[in-house]
Amino acid sequence: MGKPPKKRSLADKVRKTKTSTQIKNNPFEVKINRKKFDVLGQKSKHDVGLPGVSRSKAINKRKNTLLKEFRLKNKANKFVDRRFGEYDTKMAPEDKILKRFTMERQRSQTKKDLYNLNEEEELTHYGQSLAEMEKMTDMVDSDSDSEEKGLLSAELTAAHFGGGGLLRMKTGEDGDYEEKPRSRQEIIEELILKSKQEKRERQTQKEESQELTEKLDQEWRSVQSLLAHKTPKSERKDEPDKPKMDDYDVMVRELGFEMKARPSEKLKTPEEVAREERERLQKLEADRLRRMLGEESTSKKPSHMSADDLNDGFILDTDDRKTLSYQDGQWNVDGGEEEEGEKNEEDEDDGGEEENEEGDGGDDDDDADDDEDAEDEDDHSDLDSEQGSGAEDEEGDEDKEEEAAPAKAALSEEERRAVQQAAKEELPYTFKAPESFSDLKELLLGHSVEQQRLIVERIQKCNHPSLAVGNKAKLEKLFGFLLEYVGKLATQSPPELSTINTLIPQVYSLCQLFPASACKVMQTLLSDGGHSMEEAVEVKGRAAFPGLDMLIYLKIAALLFPTSDFRHPVTTPAFLYISQALTKCPVSSLESVSAGLVLCCLAVEFVSLSKRFIPELINFLLGLLHLAVPADTCKDYCVVSPFRQQGKASKLLLLCDTESSSSWSRKPIPLTSVHRVTASTDLQRDHHRLSVLDACLDLVKRCATLYRDLPSYDQIFQPIRTLLTNHLPVQSYPPALQELQREILEAIPETPSQHSPLVFDKKKPIALKMLQPKIVEVLDYGKKRGNTKEEKERERLKHKYKKEFKGALRELRKDTRFLAQAKLSDIMSRDAERKRKVKELYGSLATQEGEWKALKRKKRK
Amino acid sequence: MAPSRENSVKQSETESCKTSSKKAINSKTELILQSRKHANEIFDVLEFLQSDKQKEVLFAIAACQKIFCALLERGDLYVGQLPKEEEIVEGDRDADEKYHIFVRHRYNDCVELLLENTSHEVFQVKEAALCTLMKFAAAEGKHPLQKQEWSEHFNFPIELVLAVVRCLLSETEDMALLISRFQEFLEMDDVRYYVMSSIRDNIAKIMDKNKQAVLPVYQTNVFTLLTNITMPSKSSDITNFLIQQETNQEDWKAAKLKEHRRAFEQMWLTFLKYKLPGGMYKKVLVILHDTIMPHMSDPTLMIDFLTAAYDVGGAVSLLALNGLFVLIHKHNLDYPDFYKKLYNLLDPSVFHVKYKARFFHLANIFLSSSHLPVYLVAAFVKRLSRLALTAPPTALLIVLPFVYNLIRRHPSCRVLIHRPSAADELCNDPYLMDEEDPTKCHALESSLWELQTLQKHYNPDVSKAAKAINEPLSRQEQDISELLELNNFELMERDLKSQVQSVPLEFDPASGLLQSTREVLGVHFSLE
């Protein structure tokens, strides 16, 4: 048992003397691992093994780690060498020494600090203090200091170097003769005191001189300005604190500032502003078109804040405000935040000063604003009309309107000012946001129309979300209350529609502020209306036409939300509501005719951009026209619900007297006729009927142009055509109506148009199969199990774990074997030692015995 | 204060009056029941039945019930052919018999008064009278007033029930409430059986009397009563009797399901034989297929009625479809030109009537056969899509999948949405909308441009559904059953409920109610 380690150690000895190439070339050291297959391109690491080398490596490693640990086992104390870098094999011995030396020095340095006068280690450069040198960069650049520096006071030298005996003698002679000779410590303390005092004096002197120089500089500057005529600006400015800079520095700074400031300060010409506005609108329009086609949006909704709105300028977002604050080349400081009217008031209050200061004056500025606003509005409407008809020339119109705008704006400005002056005396400027509908009602009731608008506006302003935390919720509620108020105004008799009309901009601006909550409120209104109508339909099979409030809600919905969207959380239900009303509400009176007509108008308005098809609208218009047909039964067209081919209400729009058409003139029907038709005499009723028919025919005409592109255009309009040509008593109608009828008939062709048969959309051809190799990620060579990535990963980990486990086991076994060998060798060596000692003892005893015997023999002899 | 006190005084007076009358009635009842001596008090009680005061009448009815039920139980009523009142004195009868005859006469008086009371203006009185009458009927059944001979009705008081039915089917008054109260008794099998037979007799008598003219009130009453009859479906269900027969229970007609069915059938046929008022037709047709026809012994007898209804046109025809379907499906009815008629039923009103769900459900079944000729299916498809141009969105959401399903079932109809052979040739629509015969309407040569039109429909769901024709249809048929009951509000809620993260806004600022950029309303209407 004792042999193999010995042998190995011998082999190790041999090996250590050889280089690695020698070992590798030795065929007895090399073990070649035979490969079963040759895989092209595979790199194999383990084709040649060096078992001897690796074994000795392993043994060495164990000796260094395991064996040491084993030796220290069950031992409480151990010797740790804490010398720097003792166990760091990477460090060169010279480095170690150097480091140890420096560390020692440092340690000794701390002790020295006790006697360091400056209390800190001064860094020097060529014997001069760096701190001093830094100070030299300062103003003081006189060289008197440096002279002082080099001087050695006699006392100092005396103290430091002991001085010459001569010197000491001299002092002794001069004075302090009676004084006892001081102890060394006293002398040293005195020395320290003195040097400190000296240092302080030097410092104060330096400060004084610096002050003096600065003063001198100032004076020089004042004199200099007298001497050389510089700009008055520099004369006035009393900023001598900063040192005068180099021309170069000035230039650099100026350039730097210029670069930053220029782009924002660049003035926009009116054309540029207009173009930007147009671009913004075009972007919005493109966005609208996209939604109309029902495409999913990926980009974020752009904010629809508009620059040109006078009234709701204050609701604009802060960033938006900034971009709009340059108008007409002027920086309009309070442009977005303050309402137009208040700004004017302010201007009046402190007008003079401002004018003096700014030169240009505030009023001009405002006027310019107005110009801009008016122009923007016009521009905007212009654009829309252009989109609608696509015929007008934009540029020319714009110019014309630019001229017209200022006058108009000035007029409106004056009016408004007058109104505000009147209102100012009564109305407070701040309002609490109403907590409930009744609060709002209390606030608004009893005020004039314009005052009500002002109140709402001020509520909105006082509770702007940026002012306080809870304001957002308050204003969100305000929107709901406002709509409720609008509904209440509409249901009153007589309805206060003009009030509603003035409140609309407020409603709009609130909606722009809080789209989500506005949407929710509108949805609730629609859902309530729809629900009640559906219930009525379910119970009675029919329902009454919605009241004026509901009609106005629908109109407001169209004002606030885009009706052209493919799907919109508010307008889609609104469409359905209109459809429901147009199909389920029977027309039994002139009031219901009016209500139906309002709904039809709304429907046409809703689809005027998107040109979507509303079957109910056509049905309803046909039904309305049918009400004016004198003949009882018309076989060649048929009306559908809610109209009946014949019935008690089927002649509702038939004129009582054909003569009344001569006195009829076209004028709009009052919205209140939805609730009550005021006409009392037959003539008035006939006029009302004619107005209704006029509106009806106009709507038909609009529809005919809207739906021109539909493939089933003829089928849709055929019933109306037959009714208009064969049955409607047009001859008895005023010429305006006859004209309309003729136009409609022209619009609807008699012969049906032709279409190509339907085919499916062409599909994209399916791409041919590619013959490229399929690339699969190989995570690990060897056996591959599992199909999915997760499974493969699991298998791989399992395999790795197994491998590691086996390896660990092997290592442990080797460790124990190594330890056993170590123990054995320990025992062996101990035994050998003992044997040797015993032998030695025996030997010594034997020699002793021998000697003793020899002595005995000698004695005997 | 004064008036209130007066009021209270009055109240107490009336109350005392009430209590006094109640007391009087109660004491009299007790007296009558105590001994025969006080038999004449019955007259007083009966007088109360004709009182003006509702309370008194009610007390009197309760008292009558108590008295006569007790007397019947005692056997104090004369049994057999009742001699006339005047004859009592003449005949040589003992006092007992005379008393019995007297009581029986009073009983008859009471019944008559109660029958009169069933048309009282106060419902409580009506109800009480009706209940009392039925109590009498039950009591009579136990203690028959006829000789216990053999008769086919055993001892069921058929005359009484007939009289009650006569009252219920008033010619002048709507008895719906009372009839619904009566339903409780109709749950008893024997009552139901005899009521059914009495209804039949009653209808025949009344209608003949009125020379077969339409009697809306009467017929409404009959219909209400008829619809309140719920038939047992199994013979084992017939266990609930008002009057239990001791003997020969099995032989009794009222215990046999077959007899029940026959009576039911007879009753309905008699009812439907006469001309019905307009709304009634629809009501009958609505319930015909599931509450009437299954309980008839021979449903084919309904053929005449149904075919007549089918020819009426409009909503009635739609409703008749259901009954016809049952006949065709289960009873091998061969109906010539059925599909042609079905085709002609399709007009714009189909999408607006209340029964559109039922219609489409049935049409779906009728057109589910894969053996239908292509031209027919094409005609239906084309007509439906043409009509879709006038339909509201709820109907469109049914029609579009319906049309697609038809095309899926009959792949040769695919030319309607895909005709690559003539892709570039312009043509007029060859389809003839006015042609009544589906064979001649040229539907198969046409294309569904209407659906292309509907792709521009304002409702996003409809528009999406219509866009399906741009691509080949999937193989899987779409289930339209859950769409059938869709109403407008539910459709609205789809959009209202869906959570949207961003709400697009109108970017044109609103300056006034009637001042938008695309104003139409403001052109025709003013704010005043």
Side-chain angles (χ1 to χ4, degrees), chain B residues 25 33 44 48 52 100 126 129-130 194 200 216 228-229 240 242 275 334-335 351 378 401 421 432 444 462 515 521:
Chain B
I25 292 170
L33 291 180
D44 297 339
F48 276 117
D52 297 334
H100 284 171
K126 284 185 191 181
L130 183 73
Y194 286 107
R200 185 188 64 215
N228 272 319
I229 294 173
N240 186 8
L242 180 72
K275 195 166 184 303
D334 186 19
Y335 195 93
F351 297 123
S421 59
L432 302 172
L444 208 51
V462 173
Q515 287 159 23
L521 185 64

Side-chain angles (χ1 to χ4, degrees), chain A residues 304 380 497 501 508 512 555 560 567-568 579 605 613 616 619 640 669 671 698 712 755-756 758 760-761, chain B residues 348 390 393 418-419 427 449 453 456 458 461 470 495 504 506 508 512-513 518-519 521 524-527:
Chain A
H304 291 284
H380 177 156
L497 294 175
N501 192 26
Y508 177 81
Q512 295 283 337
K555 175 69 195 172
L560 301 184
R567 189 187 277 280
H568 188 281
S579 144
E605 209 172 301
F613 175 47
E616 295 88 335
N619 291 345
V640 291
I669 311 162
L671 270 176
D698 181 61
S712 303
H755 304 282
S756 53
L758 294 179
F760 294 144
D761 284 350
Chain B
T390 61
H418 183 56
R419 196 190 297 276
C427 63
W449 289 290
T453 304
K456 289 285 278 177
Y458 67 90
D461 295 325
N470 288 343
D495 277 290
E506 181 67 51
D508 293 336
L513 191 61
R518 297 170 291 278
E519 191 61 47
L521 185 64
H524 300 293
F525 285 89
S526 65
L527 277 179

